[in-house]
Amino acid sequence: MAAGCTIAPAQASAQNPVTLTIQADKPVHAVSPTLYGLMTEEINYAFDGGLYAEMVRNRTFRGDWSGLLDWYLVEKGDAAAKMTPDHATGPSKALTGSLKIDVTRASAQSQAGVLNTGWWGMALRPETSYKGSLYAKAGAEIGPVTVSLVNDKTGKAVASAQVTGVGTEWKQFPFTLKTGAIEPSSTNHLEITVGKTGTLWLQLVSLFPPTYHDQPNGRRVDLMEKMAAMHPQFLRFPGGNYLEGNRIVDWYDWKKTIGPLVDRPTHPSPWNYHSSDGMGLLEFLGWCEDLKMQPVLAVYAGYSLASEHVEPGEKLEPYVQSALEELEYVTGSTSTKWGAVRAQNGHPEPFKLTYVEIGNEEWFDKSGSYDARYTQFSKAIKAKYPDLQLIATAPVKSAKPDVLDEHFYVRATENFHDANHYDEPAAGSAAPVWGNGRYDKADRSGPKIFVGEWATREGSPTPNMGAALGDAAWMTGMERNSDLVIMAAYAPLLVNVNPGGMQWATDLIGYDAQTSYGSPAYYAQVLFGSYLGDQVLTSKLSGAGEKFFYSITGSAAKKKLYLKLVNASSEPQTVDVAIDGVKTTGKTKLVTLSAADTQETNSITDPKRIVPVESAIAVSGGRVKHTMPKYSIEVIVADVE
């Protein structure tokens, strides 16, 4: 978080003062300890080309009518070669094909082979080691295989290694490429060449930079650090539409995503590109461990995006059994069949699991089958795992879910008008009504609420300040009602900002191969996740206009009070705060996120234009008088006794 002591000059307020009285010794209810978390799926090149740190694009050599995607022939000097897909030979049952390179003329000085362009380039840094491997075999003695990282602009190799011993049987060959005193850049590619005639087959060519916690097959450091700053309490995975697939045949079959990479066949994602499945089930769980998050596991429930569904009953049973086996893989001891497989995959200890989501956005299923499908899953899961909390993704009548998942993608104005969406209905008012995928009001007698996907959709590829204000207004409502709203996750989380990298706007964190940045909405998430107590406190507001929002939480154990304020108006807002029931110690911090206009934003070239700024604020006798800037989100942190 950016720190500083600069305070904007006082401005005359065109709005009436707001009076806020806080009774800090009178909690209303507990704050859900899992309120803020992450939702993820493969969209916008979120995993491949994003969080998953693999630098090679199309490492398994898929092709289309134009040839092999992202791979190109290399013929140095007078070398001659051709490359073709070979569908008859591969290193495993999962990867049955390969790339065949026939070299008809080559020498040590005129080498032939192939190159890979990476995910809009390959980001390299000075004095850094890049660890890779490839599967290879040769028709006869092919000599050493040279693997190089080459600068696009100079054509010179900045790191090289040789792979030796390639024979007539498939074998994996590891290598390390170390850069020297180079300038950081993403204008680089990978070359694999030989200096001798013959035939070379390649498959599963992989290259990784240093990863978060130095984990093999790991995640990008900068993106993990940005997520860690949000203080997420859970991760909802694997999606989203990614769970369902376009067709039933494309569903996220978790069994095909575990074990060695060579045993993962890959599969199409619903966003018009292919998933390497390097981010498999165990990698999602490892992500949870890295950031100390609870896993919220979604299981496929028999509905896919092209309006295909599996009939409940006998036809659905294999999917129910798959879900039960998946739960055993996640939570079972090594004495169980799938717990033993997890241990074989490198993680003997079981994972703690509380929440299981059955399907995704099942309100789109016009067949009306979700009620019966949910009930079939629920009965089977509860019979074996009675303590698990089950999440429904549409209203059901035949069983009572523990939690209901609701999704909201709106404009800022809608969030301003609906920030009290989850406020408890007044006594004598009508019961909540479901419509348009959401409740119009929610009482406390139904299931708890998981706002599994939500965002203010303004700005592209990432949100602008107007969206951040809409988000913050909505979050104040979720905090005030966190006895009912137990989890919430912004979506989508990630976007590759290169041309062709985005399928959905607006997205929280943007990146290219080299760098990343947080949007204004990202910093709003950081503020709300960083400054959250464990109790909602009694408060009374008067004089507020339609674009002023707040929430107040406290922590007796930490002796902290957190007041969040949102001024979505184009005019400054004076706020008179009275903190009663406790003694303030005078150690008070103000954190401000503001902009000159709602359209102001951050970008890959201007990543820190809008960031939180810390300063001090005066408190006297439990009273604070403060003028908020226009278009601002602020947090007042007070030490109390």
Side-chain angles (χ1 to χ4, degrees), residues 437-482:
R438 59 196 286 177
Y439 277 126
D440 64 353
K441 287 288 180 183
D443 66 17
R444 271 58 179 168
S445 63
K448 298 294 187 181
I449 299 297
F450 174 27
V451 186
E453 297 181 28
W454 71 272
T456 304
R457 295 196 67 201
E458 296 186 19
S460 179
T462 53
N464 54 33
M465 187 63 194
L469 292 165
D471 289 348
W474 177 251
M475 285 189 284
T476 62
M478 290 195 293
E479 283 192 8
R480 289 196 313 274
N481 292 284
S482 54

Side-chain angles (χ1 to χ4, degrees), residues 400-449:
K400 183 179 179 181
D402 299 298
V403 183
L404 183 65
D405 185 353
E406 299 188 343
H407 296 178
F408 304 91
Y409 291 108
V410 301
R411 297 295 177 91
T413 300
E414 293 174 76
N415 272 338
F416 299 154
H417 292 163
D418 201 31
N420 64 345
H421 181 82
Y422 289 110
D423 288 358
E424 194 166 2
S429 62
V433 176
W434 177 269
N436 299 319
R438 59 196 286 177
Y439 277 126
D440 64 353
K441 287 288 180 183
D443 66 17
R444 271 58 179 168
S445 63
K448 298 294 187 181
I449 299 297

Side-chain angles (χ1 to χ4, degrees), residues 341-360:
V341 173
R342 184 196 64 243
Q344 183 181 353
N345 295 159
H347 201 287
E349 291 300 316
F351 294 90
K352 178 176 173 53
L353 185 66
T354 301
Y355 295 101
V356 176
E357 184 162 24
I358 300 173
N360 175 68

